[in-house]
Amino acid sequence: MSDTLIRSLDLIEPGDLVIYHGSIPSAHGLWLAVPCGCGICEQLDRFGLSDVRFALVDPWEERSGPHHARRESLTRSIATT
């Protein structure tokens, strides 16, 4: 339970530098988290669902990142602290 509490205190915010460790191993690594603007995520937001999803942007603009990334798949980078 304490791990869940600590995790909830470390919420990912738009624009944060994050490390992705989700279900796409080839995309694991450092990204900028921005709100996912796809039609599916926008509809979920309109329905009031609190499950915020992120699109991941390469800080160096060298590759496109995954979309619909859940907070559970991201860890805030220590480079931002």
Side-chain angles (χ1 to χ4, degrees), residues 12-35 54-70 73-80:
I12 305 299
E13 297 293 332
D16 280 351
L17 194 58
V18 297
I19 299 171
Y20 174 73
H21 47 80
S23 61
I24 307 170
S26 62
H28 287 182
L30 197 61
W31 299 93
L32 286 174
V34 297
F54 293 94
L56 303 180
V57 179
D58 179 2
W60 301 278
E61 300 178 2
E62 295 175 356
R63 60 185 178 146
S64 61
H67 292 101
H68 322 298
R70 298 173 300 143
S73 299
L74 306 171
T75 302
R76 188 186 317 253
S77 172
I78 59 171
T80 62

